[in-house]
Amino acid sequence: MQTIKFKNKPYLLTGYSIVGPLEGKGPLKDYFDYILKDDTLNEKSFEKSERKLLEKIVVGAIDKANLNTNDIDFFVGGDLLNQIVSSSFTARELSIPFIGLYSACATMAESLAIASILVSFNLADNVVAGTCTHFSSAERQYRFPLELGNQRPPTAQWTITGGGASVISNKPSKIRINSVTFGKVIDYGITDVNNMGAAMAPAASSTILAHLKNSNKRPSDYDLIATGDLGKLGSEILIDLLEREKIILGKNYSDCGCIIFDKTERVFMGGSGAGCSASVLNSYIIHKINKGEFKRVLLVSTGALMSTTSSQQGDTIPGIAHAIELEYVEDKIKKSILLQRKIKKLKRKRKSK
Amino acid sequence: MQTIKFKNKPYLLTGYSIVGPLEGKGPLKDYFDYILKDDTLNEKSFEKSERKLLEKIVVGAIDKANLNTNDIDFFVGGDLLNQIVSSSFTARELSIPFIGLYSACATMAESLAIASILVSFNLADNVVAGTCTHFSSAERQYRFPLELGNQRPPTAQWTITGGGASVISNKPSKIRINSVTFGKVIDYGITDVNNMGAAMAPAASSTILAHLKNSNKRPSDYDLIATGDLGKLGSEILIDLLEREKIILGKNYSDCGCIIFDKTERVFMGGSGAGCSASVLNSYIIHKINKGEFKRVLLVSTGALMSTTSSQQGDTIPGIAHAIELEYVEDKIKKSILLQRKIKKLKRKRKSK
């Protein structure tokens, strides 16, 4: 079954996000935990900056949960750099068992899904899941070195500098994870690497359809359905694709790549990158759920699964999307869960006596 | 907890392996399902050959289990090419929900671990897990294009052309999976990309120690402890490292990279690559367990987590190893499990009446 519904629901204990200076000027600036003044982080290369950024994000999430690395059973994550080096080197510093993933910009949802499974089935008490991207390392690897000063076409998106991490835990918090849907790889034949939104929209459509069907829900059951980084054009394509299936996305639909920036001067179609849905989830979305303003959210991180080599060899761009359903837990429910657990514990103690 | 012990044990239903012409001349030649005569697989680039190879392997494993792709709930896998394109493009052809992983040459064990969790907790009936490598695409990406004719230093290993896939299922077979141990990222400061064995040995040691301790077992409890691709030098380092911890690996220790080749003319320290432990597990090891000649096996796939960029920027090579414990299931036990399940089903039916 593509959708996994949790009986024993894991909780999102804390989310932590850091973004770069440009993202820190956008409309979500008040929600991020930290905004970099200098996106080099005093490192000699952008790849090393990205790595340091991810370390700071993951450690930040663990700290915010009042835990230390010994309390964390697994680090689940990946990133866009070849061989996910940012994540692997971060795992080296943390010395936590590491489950490395790759799902391009869908990594945040995939990491959360694996983390949620581990916690739901009592294989872990606390798991940290996270990812990030850096504009300059992504440009160098996927497109051109910045020093070349290449022009960008109007369908291009802007890989954000930033990211986020969440601590998934069996300890009740105000946000619980109801279910996850792993996506299929979908390819509509897009070859333009400057039009990622169009390449990923069909995968988002496929995963949203599967999730709604398997969960027996309609879009109106959610206060927010947020795709990862389709951008302006990709979002429009998604709306069209779902309309054909008689699924109407309303005002509750948003794309993390569209809401992280307001001015389009440099960013054209909006933000992208694994860090995009990671930073928006772990700031704005979590904040709104914690306040009870969003009761139920579907995060659909979207990824484009090409490499520079596959593109150079004429291949089309396959897309993937993974979805995760988050729900607000009222204080009284949270308290009753804690009480029930205490009673269970006491009963077990008495039995063992 | 780093080690996950399954109460509801998943089964390895079938394993399927394909290797290239050189590997097909080695000592394990009689165990592989298929030996390529032409390692280009009639494709125009080695990257496309690798992709076609993985497709054939995954489809082969599903076919061998007498299943079709509709019976498979998830495809779990990754590979060494940037952005794991071989796996993503394979997932596109299969149209099965895809969980993409990256753990370098430790991918086979990591994929099996995730697949086992999904099956053990009834999140899936059948999951296919697999990976492969291609000598020529790996050389081009990680080292030099073959056309340059570069010389190889004596500590070098040979990325094998080949791979394997397993179908993990809740349907009893002769091989069950007892437990998995996810590794930590360990770095002893090796910088020589032509000495991967030395870079990965400390991670193998760390994971084996954790697995033995958490499972309360000694090396002699296994008929085979097989590391992924440490090669001759790396294996010797592992034996030394474990000796210091008073763990003595005996004749039951082997390295997939050492046993896949016999002559060392071209391969120096032995085989390597994600396909190495994948092909040896899904041929020789599975064959021996199925015959009851190996009662209990610990497979420890080993990965080096650098990228060409991280190496060029002077970084050391972090290593990781994931372990998976396989056990032979006697025919009478298998029959009794099937009988118990039937009884349970009947009881449930009566109750519902």
Side-chain angles (χ1 to χ4, degrees), chain B residues 196-344:
Chain B
M196 296 292 204
M200 298 186 290
S205 160
S206 157
T207 299
I208 291 172
L209 281 172
H211 186 86
L212 293 177
K213 193 184 154 200
N214 296 338
S215 314
N216 201 16
K217 291 215 173 89
R218 291 165 304 172
S220 56
D221 292 328
Y222 297 91
D223 295 309
L224 175 70
I225 297 177
T227 45
D229 55 348
L230 296 183
K232 289 198 182 66
L233 182 59
S235 299
E236 282 171 25
I237 296 172
L238 172 65
I239 291 168
D240 282 357
L241 286 171
L242 285 175
E243 253 181 32
R244 286 190 208 171
E245 306 288 335
K246 311 225 181 327
I247 300 288
I248 309 298
L249 292 179
K251 279 188 179 164
N252 58 346
Y253 170 66
S254 244
D255 179 72
C256 299
C258 291
I259 58 175
I260 197 167
F261 294 118
D262 45 3
K263 292 174 196 155
T264 58
E265 269 166 45
R266 290 162 70 183
V267 304
F268 296 145
M269 288 293 123
S272 71
C276 187
S277 67
S279 61
V280 174
L281 168 72
N282 288 294
S283 59
Y284 170 71
I285 296 177
I286 280 182
H287 179 87
K288 290 285 186 184
I289 305 179
N290 269 327
K291 291 259 173 198
E293 291 173 36
F294 291 160
K295 303 286 186 207
R296 199 184 286 139
V297 170
L298 188 67
L299 178 78
V300 189
S301 299
T302 40
L305 299 173
M306 84 297 167
S307 75
T308 51
T309 310
S310 72
S311 292
Q312 280 159 9
Q313 293 184 359
D315 281 310
T316 52
I317 305 172
I320 196 163
H322 302 297
I324 184 142
E325 188 180 307
L326 304 147
E327 192 169 44
Y328 171 64
V329 183
E330 279 182 55
D331 254 346
K332 58 180 181 187
I333 296 175
K334 191 180 138 186
K335 275 179 194 161
S336 104
I337 292 167
L338 282 168
L339 193 67
Q340 279 168 21
R341 283 200 188 168
K342 252 190 196 161
I343 293 168
K344 259 193 191 170

Side-chain angles (χ1 to χ4, degrees), chain A residues 1 45 47-48 51 73 80 82-83 92 98-102 110 142 183 187 313 315-316 322, chain B residues 1 45 47-48 51 73 80 82-83 92 98-102 110 141-142 183 187 313 315-316 322:
Chain A
M1 179 75 142
S45 75
E47 291 76 17
K48 287 183 197 277
R51 187 190 306 173
D73 298 293
L80 295 189
N82 295 341
Q83 288 72 54
R92 181 184 71 179
F98 174 50
I99 302 176
L101 304 176
Y102 183 79
E110 192 189 11
Y142 285 102
D187 191 337
Q313 294 185 358
D315 281 309
T316 53
H322 303 296
Chain B
M1 180 74 143
S45 75
E47 290 76 18
K48 287 184 196 277
R51 185 190 307 174
D73 299 292
L80 296 189
N82 295 342
Q83 288 72 53
R92 180 184 72 179
F98 175 48
I99 302 177
L101 304 177
Y102 184 79
E110 193 189 11
Q141 180 180 285
Y142 285 102
D187 191 337
Q313 293 184 359
D315 281 310
T316 52
H322 302 297

